[in-house]
Every structure is written in C-alpha cells, then in structure tokens.
Amino acid sequence: MKKLSVLFAAVMMVVSVGMAKAQKIATLDVIGVLNAMPEKKKADTDLKAFLDTKQAEIKKKADAGQAKLKQYSEEAPKKTADENKAREAELAKMQEEIQQMNDKAQKDFVAKQDVAYEPIEKKLNDAVSKVAKANGYEYIMDANSAAFVFKGGADATAAVKKELGIQ
C-alpha cells in the first residue's frame, strides 16, 4: 500500500511538471503599448488641459486671497479690533473656498480620468485577449512588474501593438 501511494505521488509530480512546461507564458510591455496608443495620447492631452484650467482658477483665487491678506495686514494697525476680526474671518472663508475648489478639482480630475481611460483599457484588454488566443498563451504578464524574477517567456508586445494598429 505504501509503495502504491509513493508511485501515485511520483506520477502526479511528473504530470504536474509536464503540465507546467506545457503552459505558454508571454510578457507584455503594458506601459509601452499604452503610451503608443493615439487614444491615450489624446486623453492625456485633454486631461492636462483640464487640470491646467482648474489649477489656473485655483491660482487666481489664491492670488486674490494673498493680495487681500497683504492689504489687510498693512491696514490692520489703523482698523478696530472688530474690523480686524471680520477681516480674519473673511480670509479664513477664502482659504476654505480655495481648499474646497482644490478638493473638487481633484475629484473631477479623477472622474474625468476614469471616463477617458475606460475605453482605452477595454481596447487594450480586447487586443491582449485576441493575441493570447491566437498564439495559445495561457498567461500574459506585465513585463514592467517587479514580481518577475526571470523573464524568459515570449514577448507579446509586438503582437498586441500590431493588433491595435500601432508601432
């Protein structure tokens, strides 16, 4: 009985090693492919323009706040305590508005980024799936991943780029 279980274990090890060698694994330079896609370049340009606009609005409000702070600081000795207190409250309110604008801009940017990148990611994933099926790859792993110890499999980057029609 013991010999039978040892024999069974040996057969299972041979079968599992054979199956592991039969798996086709490829790597893919995901960042390189994404950066070569015209859709991603356009999305990046649009997102940068959106972000620049929001930052300009926030800077304008912050500059106005700085100007008021300077003015109020210079006039403070000539004003009453109540006037100075009201001015401090006004400056605090402006600071809070700037922070809210900043928070909203960040949320809007993330939402816009998600909407812009979703079809690009879908297109890439569809191309990767098509290449994997066409070449019999069971796994395609990101070549930029730090988890790789050795990269000896096939590189699917060129095939995915070809599928997407990019160089």
Side-chain angles (χ1 to χ4, degrees):
M1 192 67 145
K2 189 174 182 181
K3 288 182 181 181
L4 185 61
S5 63
V6 170
L7 179 62
F8 179 73
V11 168
M12 289 305 294
M13 285 180 18
V14 168
V15 168
S16 65
V17 168
M19 288 176 70
K21 289 187 182 243
Q23 293 177 342
K24 285 184 77 177
I25 299 173
T27 59
L28 172 66
D29 180 7
V30 175
I31 294 171
V33 172
L34 282 172
N35 287 335
M37 293 176 71
E39 301 94 329
K40 169 112 175 11
K41 291 175 184 176
K42 183 180 180 330
D44 287 345
T45 301
D46 293 347
L47 289 168
K48 184 177 181 335
F50 175 80
L51 191 58
D52 290 347
T53 301
K54 291 296 182 182
Q55 286 176 337
E57 291 172 8
I58 293 168
K59 185 178 182 332
K60 184 178 176 182
K61 182 87 169 175
D63 290 347
Q66 287 294 331
K68 265 195 179 179
L69 175 64
K70 183 179 177 191
Q71 175 192 351
Y72 287 177
S73 296
E74 291 171 356
E75 295 174 354
K78 301 173 192 167
K79 299 293 181 181
T80 66
D82 288 341
E83 287 175 316
N84 284 334
K85 195 170 190 173
R87 287 178 167 199
E88 285 177 20
E90 181 184 350
L91 290 172
K93 185 178 180 206
M94 283 184 80
Q95 181 63 34
E96 185 179 322
E97 289 172 0
I98 292 168
Q99 184 60 45
Q100 288 173 350
M101 284 177 70
N102 199 19
D103 292 346
K104 184 176 180 337
Q106 287 178 354
K107 287 178 186 172
D108 290 349
F109 178 77
V110 168
K112 192 168 181 74
Q113 188 177 39
D114 289 345
V115 168
Y117 286 161
E118 185 178 341
I120 296 166
E121 290 173 7
K122 182 181 180 337
K123 184 175 180 180
L124 175 64
N125 288 336
D126 290 347
V128 169
S129 295
K130 198 170 184 178
V131 166
K133 288 175 185 170
N135 292 293
Y137 298 133
E138 293 182 32
Y139 299 98
I140 295 183
M141 300 180 180
D142 187 356
N144 302 308
S145 173
F148 279 120
V149 177
F150 175 74
K151 297 178 187 177
D155 186 357
T157 303
V160 171
K161 282 184 171 183
K162 182 179 178 186
E163 180 64 34
L164 290 168
I166 57 178
Q167 297 300 331

